[in-house]
Amino acid sequence: MIPQDTQEEGGSWLAAGGLEGTRSHRAFLHLFWGGSFALFLMLQGYALWAGDNPPMRLVFNAVFLACALGALVLLQRGHIRLVTQLTGYLPPALLLLVICTARSIYIPAVAALPPMVVVTAWLLGRRAAFWVTLAAVLEVMGVGLYLHLGGLPRMPPPEPLQYGITLLVYLLISLSIGLLSESSHREQIRIAQEHAFVDGLTGLANRRLFMERLGQALQDSQNHQRHGALLLIDLDQFHRFGAAFGARLGNSLLMTVAERLRQLTGPDMTLARLGSDVFGVLVTGRAHGGELLLEVTRLADQITRAIALPIHLDGQPQSHTVTVGISAFDGPGSADDLLHQAEQAVAQGKAQGLGTVHFFDPALAEAAQHRARLEADLRRALQLGQLLLHYQPQIRDGRPTGAEALVRWQHPERGLIAPAEFIPVAEACGLIVPLGQWVLEQACQVLAHWRQDPVLAAMTLSVNVSAHQVQQPGFVLHLRQLLEHSGCDPHRLKLELTESAFIGDEATAIGAMTALRALGIRFSLDDFGTGYSSLSHLKKLPLDQIKIDQSFVRDLLDDPDDAAITQVITQLARNFGMEVMAEGVELPAQRSFLESLGCHAFQGFLFARPQPLLTFQAFCHEHLAAPGTPALMPRA
């Protein structure tokens, strides 16, 4: 196909259909091209017959021979577009050269220019026709000037001989050029088709051919009750390898993987490269589904073991793995849907570990789709203000001393969504940072409001901060600006962190905590004992409080191990001079046991559930307004 940028204006045949037009168009083009050069051959024959100006005849003969041979070579190599341009521009240019230099005017050649203009406009567009017309005008002007100066036109040879020779040369040249051009045209189509369906690096089928065969396989499966399967092979950590070793070794790795896959796949399978580091194998036409599953399982196992063998690149052995996702079919379906299922199988396999084989699981796919929908809804929730805070009272000596701000999501369709469902999604997709910033902004505004209330002014407000937030470069500056703009008391703000905040870049987290501690902000270590639980953190971190996780409190009365862990945490906190608070307290017996261990700060359903801001403020006024107000009694 001729690229769009080579098309002339004016709706020419080339612009409308290119050289892949009808056979009659191409035949006419060949005849026109051959006839034009036959005309020049006749001119040279006439010049030879006339017997004048031999040096100029030699020049013309050389030019004609070079043009003819060059055009044949170009046609043979498939440069049809260039020959087509020569068709429009070269004949009138050479004809003008004959008139201007040899002062030899061939009357039939002048008569041939008008149809040349029309044909050129049809083939190449108005721009080419303009130049041909200009050549014709200049020729006519040259003829007029020549005759005006007393010159006489050279007479042609006898008419029968002239037209006989013209016709013979016309047909011979047209036939030879037509055959060469047709052969070149077919070769171009073959090469174009080959390039359209073959991957240039590995020589395997490309994505286009693979999807066509997959569609045919699905149709055959529906019509003849045949079974098939799609294996998607993803080269693990390829992008990291390419970044480390460069494109050259990356291409060598891909070619080696392609060759090993080629050796494992049979002639009745389709092997293709579908992406930069993704290959596909299509197994079709199997009569029994059980045998198909055994076959593709065996093939997938062979593939993983073959790729795991060392690959020598620049003399150095490299170890690589692939994750294989398999999606089977036995009836109607969509090729895109089947490929998407195989991609989901790969993702499910990578979640379990690299170098694995995983069949598509609809249940897991549904969970992934649900997670994706939840992520999209959460993004909209942040934009539309669907998030809100609830406040769970924190109790000490029977009276509320503060609250923990717990984020909730008021979904327009599903109602109130608990953080346990959407916080992990926010952490996985990076939304935890803007979500955490929003929570901090709301907390600072609430503390500024409480500062004006004598009853609430002494309340502390705890806010959970993720590891991603703490390690953000502008976290300290952003929080300092929030404190200044809101006007809240930083001594009443408590940030709760888990030990995951210190895994990785511990120095950054400690530096941020130290800077914020200097502003008056206090820190609480949440979920202590459930994860890494390094005692060195208790020594290095500027902590004010340790919270006993509710998983220990829940079975405190029945599990001696939980009771022992709780006792150890309480003793550690006291030894380091920190306050200890137990969360998830639901029973009076749990409270009593904790008090016996030295824990006197609590949070849990025994005292109050998380509640909206106005409800929490009323709760505090109820229990703190009067000096003689009795201590808070546990809920029944």
Side-chain angles (χ1 to χ4, degrees):
M1 292 292 291
I2 294 179
Q4 292 295 323
D5 57 357
T6 65
Q7 298 175 357
E8 298 285 357
E9 58 180 313
S12 68
W13 166 67
L14 286 179
L19 289 175
E20 282 73 28
T22 62
R23 182 181 297 273
S24 61
H25 287 152
R26 294 197 302 274
F28 189 89
L29 178 63
H30 302 155
L31 291 175
F32 176 69
W33 189 90
S36 299
F37 277 96
L39 183 61
F40 293 118
L41 186 62
M42 292 299 298
L43 282 173
Q44 304 311 309
Y46 172 67
L48 181 64
W49 175 76
D52 64 340
N53 203 357
M56 191 58 63
R57 288 201 308 273
L58 292 177
V59 172
F60 289 158
N61 286 332
V63 171
F64 169 76
L65 183 61
C67 291
L69 294 178
L72 293 178
V73 171
L74 291 173
L75 282 172
Q76 184 65 28
R77 293 187 177 182
H79 299 287
I80 301 179
R81 169 175 166 264
L82 186 56
V83 176
T84 307
Q85 291 179 337
L86 291 176
T87 302
Y89 295 113
L90 193 57
L94 290 180
L95 190 58
L96 219 74
L97 187 64
V98 170
I99 295 169
C100 295
T101 59
R103 298 177 61 83
S104 175
I105 300 174
Y106 186 45
I107 299 300
V110 178
L113 272 176
M116 288 173 66
V117 172
V118 175
V119 172
T120 303
W122 184 46
L123 290 174
L124 296 178
R126 290 198 299 267
R127 185 179 303 172
F130 168 78
W131 292 107
V132 176
T133 304
L134 180 62
V137 171
L138 292 176
E139 180 182 8
V140 172
M141 292 175 61
V143 171
L145 180 62
Y146 180 75
L147 295 177
H148 178 72
L149 296 176
L152 296 175
R154 301 301 180 98
M155 299 304 297
E159 292 295 327
L161 178 60
Q162 171 194 354
Y163 293 120
I165 295 176
T166 302
L167 181 62
L168 179 60
V169 175
Y170 191 97
L171 292 177
L172 289 176
I173 295 181
S174 298
L175 179 61
S176 61
I177 294 176
L179 292 175
L180 286 173
S181 180
E182 190 68 26
S183 174
S184 175
H185 178 70
R186 287 195 299 267
E187 181 65 15
Q188 274 193 312
I189 293 178
R190 185 191 67 79
I191 293 174
Q193 288 178 342
E194 180 177 326
H195 288 171
F197 292 105
V198 175
D199 176 62
L201 177 65
T202 62
L204 302 177
N206 63 9
R207 187 184 186 93
R208 178 180 175 184
L209 178 59
F210 188 83
M211 294 303 290
E212 286 188 7
R213 292 190 178 178
L214 180 57
Q216 295 171 0
L218 288 170
Q219 187 67 33
D220 180 70
S221 176
Q222 180 180 2
N223 296 337
H224 303 96
Q225 300 298 314
R226 294 290 183 177
H227 298 264
L230 166 61
L231 288 80
L232 205 62
I233 304 157
D234 188 288
L235 188 58
D236 297 326
Q237 306 292 341
F238 175 73
H239 295 290
R240 182 177 299 178
F241 175 84
F245 295 97
R248 183 180 64 85
L249 288 185
N251 290 338
S252 299
L253 173 61
L254 290 173
M255 288 188 289
T256 303
V257 170
E259 182 58 32
R260 292 187 180 183
L261 293 176
R262 187 183 285 111
Q263 294 174 0
L264 293 174
T265 53
D268 58 342
M269 303 177 186
T270 299
L271 172 63
R273 182 186 178 206
L274 304 182
S276 62
D277 59 343
V278 179
F279 299 85
V281 177
L282 181 61
V283 183
T284 60
R286 302 311 192 257
H288 303 287
E291 295 179 0
L292 170 71
L293 294 180
L294 289 176
E295 180 182 358
V296 297
T297 301
R298 188 181 304 112
L299 176 61
D301 181 64
Q302 292 173 347
I303 288 173
T304 55
R305 286 189 284 108
I307 304 303
L309 295 175
I311 297 176
H312 292 270
L313 301 174
D314 277 358
Q316 298 296 325
Q318 301 278 348
S319 298
H320 297 273
T321 61
V322 291
T323 299
V324 182
I326 304 174
S327 179
F329 59 91
D330 58 357
S334 165
D336 290 332
D337 290 343
L338 191 66
L339 183 61
H340 181 61
Q341 291 176 3
E343 291 172 346
Q344 289 181 307
V346 170
Q348 295 164 6
K350 286 182 178 292
Q352 297 179 357
L354 302 180
T356 59
V357 177
H358 195 85
F359 280 85
F360 170 70
D361 188 339
L364 292 178
E366 177 61 29
Q369 292 174 1
H370 172 74
R371 185 185 183 93
R373 288 193 297 268
L374 194 66
E375 178 183 336
D377 289 349
L378 184 56
R379 292 184 185 276
R380 285 193 294 270
L382 284 169
Q383 297 172 356
L384 301 178
Q386 296 174 358
L387 299 175
L388 52 90
L389 292 180
H390 279 189
Y391 302 83
Q392 186 170 30
Q394 294 177 338
I395 309 301
R396 184 177 183 83
D397 297 329
R399 297 181 184 277
T401 59
E404 179 180 0
L406 301 171
V407 65
R408 298 290 186 267
W409 178 6
Q410 188 66 46
H411 195 280
E413 297 175 359
R414 299 177 54 191
L416 202 63
I417 301 180
E421 183 174 356
F422 66 85
I423 290 297
V425 176
E427 290 179 341
C429 67
L431 289 176
I432 193 65
V433 174
L435 190 153
Q437 291 176 352
W438 177 84
V439 173
L440 284 172
E441 292 172 3
Q442 299 299 310
C444 289
Q445 293 176 11
V446 168
L447 284 173
H449 172 69
W450 287 354
R451 197 169 188 177
Q452 310 302 319
D453 189 323
V455 175
L456 302 174
M459 290 286 119
T460 60
L461 187 57
S462 298
V463 176
N464 290 283
V465 179
S466 73
H468 297 285
Q469 284 179 271
V470 175
Q471 296 181 358
Q472 289 293 310
F475 176 68
V476 175
L477 177 61
H478 175 73
L479 188 49
R480 182 186 291 116
Q481 292 174 346
L482 280 180
L483 295 173
E484 294 174 355
H485 293 163
S486 64
C488 70
D489 184 359
H491 295 84
R492 300 301 172 188
L493 178 62
K494 184 189 299 180
L495 301 184
E496 295 191 5
L497 300 90
T498 62
E499 288 190 287
S500 61
F502 315 108
I503 297 177
D505 194 353
E506 181 180 14
T508 298
I510 294 177
M513 292 178 65
T514 303
L516 294 175
R517 180 69 178 274
L519 299 177
I521 296 175
R522 295 193 285 174
F523 290 92
S524 175
L525 187 61
D526 198 8
D527 299 339
F528 184 77
T530 61
Y532 188 59
S533 300
S534 170
L535 296 181
S536 65
H537 287 160
L538 298 182
K539 176 182 178 181
K540 292 187 292 185
L541 300 179
L543 296 171
D544 301 279
Q545 183 185 75
I546 294 179
K547 296 186 75 172
I548 303 174
D549 187 70
Q550 59 183 339
S551 61
F552 300 127
V553 176
R554 183 184 304 114
D555 299 324
L556 184 67
L557 303 176
D558 303 319
D559 190 332
D561 293 334
D562 286 344
I565 293 174
T566 302
Q567 183 177 7
V568 169
I569 294 175
T570 303
Q571 188 62 41
L572 280 173
R574 294 174 61 182
N575 291 342
F576 280 98
M578 303 175 190
E579 180 186 38
V580 60
M581 175 178 288
E583 59 182 359
V585 180
E586 299 181 359
L587 302 173
Q590 293 172 339
R591 176 190 181 185
S592 300
F593 186 86
L594 290 165
E595 287 179 331
S596 69
L597 297 178
C599 176
H600 301 283
F602 311 100
Q603 180 181 336
F605 290 174
L606 177 64
F607 305 98
R609 292 177 176 272
Q611 48 200 241
L613 178 61
L614 295 179
T615 305
F616 171 75
Q617 292 176 164
F619 174 87
C620 293
H621 277 275
E622 177 184 352
H623 296 282
L624 296 175
T629 303
L632 177 67
M633 297 300 294
R635 302 172 63 212

